[in-house]
């Protein structure tokens, strides 16, 4: 049981919204990148005259080798046929014949066809196929992308600013015992995760954060008070909805689901993920969700 207390909770609705919380619109380069992704999902296949890496070709092979066959389809560069032969075919023209060394034997290769997949030109028809209400042309899609991106940026900024406002201005009593519990339970979870990936804790923390084990531990200790504040705020918000109260019963259900999807026993799961860590995680989520939903609604009215 945590000893820390929330003494006074400020209202995130009292936060002043300023111009610097609006985000920056997509620039032309960023917008073009999004459009290219859409185009790549709508590729067309064309006939070309010279083989390049990635092309789908059909070759006619003349050889006494039993492993080779005529009219063989190959995607150049995948290496599914023979990476050495594939590399020697690059640069060949359609209907060109060439002798290639294959495992010490000469084989004759003729390129019968060359097809290449390329992104389709982004058209109004492709935009209509996306089924976005009110968006039926490339130009209207560009406007939609800019507005959507700006909306999402502003929402993320407002949510984080709202959380910071509450955590920075509310009054808490944070127990040193709770800080130790928060740190130790988090480290237990990291130790388990490292073991599950067959890594030492030192290797795991280096991969995860780029920090040494001592640097990582220090970081987690310094983050513990803020984690407790998140939990206390989320727990207060959750009182408005009984379904968001994370008690022992919900913890048992969570552990059961964890064991159902793994090879751990219930005892092992509880050792690796304690009730305290469960509350820290779930109530942090409740705090973020509460503030996110408020600003999401505020953005749409």
């Amino acid at each position: 049981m945590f000893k820390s207390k929330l003494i006074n909770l400020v209202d995130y609705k009292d936060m002043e919204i300023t111009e610097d919380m609006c985000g920056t619109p997509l620039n032309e380069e960023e917008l073009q990148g999004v459009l290219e992704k859409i185009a790549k999902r709508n590729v067309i296949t064309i006939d070309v005259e010279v083989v390049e890496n990635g092309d789908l070709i059909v070759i006619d092979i003349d050889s006494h080798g039993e492993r080779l066959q005529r009219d063989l389809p190959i995607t150049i560069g995948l290496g599914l046929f023979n990476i050495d032969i594939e590399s020697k075919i690059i640069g060949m023209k359609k209907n060109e014949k060439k002798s290639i060394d294959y495992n010490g034997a000469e084989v004759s290769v003729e390129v019968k066809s060359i097809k290449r997949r390329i992104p389709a030109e982004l058209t109004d028809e492709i935009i209509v196929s996306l089924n976005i209400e009110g968006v039926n042309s490339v130009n209207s899609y560009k406007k939609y992308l800019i507005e959507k991106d700006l909306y999402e940026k502003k929402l993320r900024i407002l949510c984080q600013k709202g959380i910071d406002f509450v955590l920075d201005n509310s009054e808490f009593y944070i127990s040193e015992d709770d800080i130790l519990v928060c740190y130790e339970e988090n480290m237990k979870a990291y130790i388990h995760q490292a073991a599950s990936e067959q890594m030492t804790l030192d290797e795991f923390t280096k991969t995860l954060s780029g920090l040494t084990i001592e640097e990582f531990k220090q970081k987690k200790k310094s983050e513990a008070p803020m984690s407790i504040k998140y939990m206390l705020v989320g727990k207060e918000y959750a009182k408005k909805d009984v379904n968001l109260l994370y008690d022992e019963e919900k913890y048992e259900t969570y552990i059961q689901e964890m064991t159902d999807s793994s090879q751990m026993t219930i005892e092992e799961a509880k050792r690796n993920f304690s009730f305290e860590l469960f509350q820290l995680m779930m109530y942090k989520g409740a705090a973020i969700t509460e503030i996110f939903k408020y600003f999401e609604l505020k953005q749409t009215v």
Side-chain angles (χ1 to χ4, degrees), residues 21 41 70 96 109 154 232 237 301:
M21 298 179 186
R41 293 205 295 265
R70 301 172 70 84
E96 180 183 351
V109 174
K154 185 175 181 180
L232 294 171
Y237 293 155
V301 295

Side-chain angles (χ1 to χ4, degrees), residues 180-295:
L180 183 61
V181 168
C182 178
Y183 163 72
E184 289 180 342
E185 295 304 326
N186 267 296
M187 289 309 300
K188 284 181 186 176
Y190 286 121
I191 291 169
H192 167 68
Q193 193 173 349
S196 68
E197 297 185 22
Q198 297 183 324
M199 300 171 72
T200 66
L201 185 58
D202 197 19
E203 292 170 334
F204 180 76
T205 57
K206 198 73 173 178
T207 302
L208 183 67
S209 63
L211 301 175
T212 66
I213 184 64
E214 290 306 319
E215 291 170 337
F216 186 80
K217 286 180 177 179
Q218 191 58 45
K219 183 173 184 289
K220 292 304 159 185
K221 284 178 183 176
S222 67
E223 291 173 348
M226 188 60 73
S227 296
I228 296 167
K229 288 182 180 181
Y230 264 108
M231 179 198 66
L232 294 171
V233 170
K235 195 169 186 178
E236 187 65 25
Y237 293 155
K239 289 178 180 178
K240 294 181 287 186
D241 185 349
V242 67
N243 291 320
L244 294 178
L245 291 174
Y246 297 102
D247 53 17
E248 290 278 3
E249 183 178 347
K250 284 196 176 174
Y251 173 64
E252 293 293 337
T253 301
Y254 183 88
I255 289 296
Q256 186 62 61
E257 291 172 352
M258 184 185 291
T259 56
D260 288 344
S261 61
S262 69
Q263 296 181 343
M264 285 188 292
T265 65
I266 288 178
E267 291 72 22
E268 288 172 330
K270 286 184 176 181
R271 281 198 304 271
N272 296 322
F273 197 86
S274 67
F275 178 55
E276 289 82 6
L277 192 56
F278 172 74
Q279 288 195 311
L280 285 163
M281 181 182 75
M282 292 304 196
Y283 281 128
K284 178 177 181 177
I288 294 171
T289 299
E290 165 84 10
I291 295 175
F292 181 88
K293 284 183 176 179
Y294 169 75
F295 285 112

Side-chain angles (χ1 to χ4, degrees), residues 5 24 37 43 53 95 159 188-189 244:
K5 303 292 182 186
T24 305
K37 288 180 181 178
V43 298
N53 200 34
N95 297 323
C159 181
K188 284 181 186 176
L244 294 178

Side-chain angles (χ1 to χ4, degrees), residues 69-228:
Q69 56 182 311
R70 301 172 70 84
D71 292 339
L72 182 68
I74 299 173
T75 299
I76 297 296
L78 292 184
L80 298 178
F81 172 59
N82 181 284
I83 195 67
D84 186 47
I85 288 183
E86 291 174 30
S87 67
K88 293 174 181 176
I89 292 174
I90 292 175
M92 289 183 66
K93 298 178 181 179
K94 184 178 178 180
N95 297 323
E96 180 183 351
K97 291 184 179 180
K98 184 178 183 179
S99 292
I100 294 176
D101 177 76
Y102 179 71
N103 289 340
E106 288 290 318
V107 297
S108 177
V109 174
E110 180 182 1
V111 177
K112 306 287 285 186
S113 71
I114 313 169
K115 295 186 181 297
R116 185 173 301 154
R117 287 164 58 87
I118 62 172
E121 181 182 355
L122 203 57
T123 62
D124 292 348
E125 289 75 17
I126 290 176
I127 297 303
V128 169
S129 72
L130 298 177
N131 294 317
I132 302 172
E133 186 177 354
V135 178
N136 50 28
S137 68
V138 173
N139 285 335
S140 63
Y141 184 61
K142 289 180 180 179
K143 182 181 177 182
Y144 164 81
L145 286 175
I146 292 170
E147 291 176 349
K148 180 174 181 288
D149 175 76
L150 199 57
Y151 168 83
E152 291 172 350
K153 283 176 180 174
K154 185 175 181 180
L155 186 55
R156 287 195 300 270
I157 292 169
L158 287 173
C159 181
Q160 188 57 59
K161 292 287 186 182
I163 291 168
D164 293 342
F165 177 79
V166 171
L167 296 178
D168 292 343
N169 294 284
S170 296
E171 187 178 353
F172 302 90
Y173 162 69
I174 305 298
S175 164
E176 289 295 327
D177 290 342
D178 290 351
I179 292 174
L180 183 61
V181 168
C182 178
Y183 163 72
E184 289 180 342
E185 295 304 326
N186 267 296
M187 289 309 300
K188 284 181 186 176
Y190 286 121
I191 291 169
H192 167 68
Q193 193 173 349
S196 68
E197 297 185 22
Q198 297 183 324
M199 300 171 72
T200 66
L201 185 58
D202 197 19
E203 292 170 334
F204 180 76
T205 57
K206 198 73 173 178
T207 302
L208 183 67
S209 63
L211 301 175
T212 66
I213 184 64
E214 290 306 319
E215 291 170 337
F216 186 80
K217 286 180 177 179
Q218 191 58 45
K219 183 173 184 289
K220 292 304 159 185
K221 284 178 183 176
S222 67
E223 291 173 348
M226 188 60 73
S227 296
I228 296 167

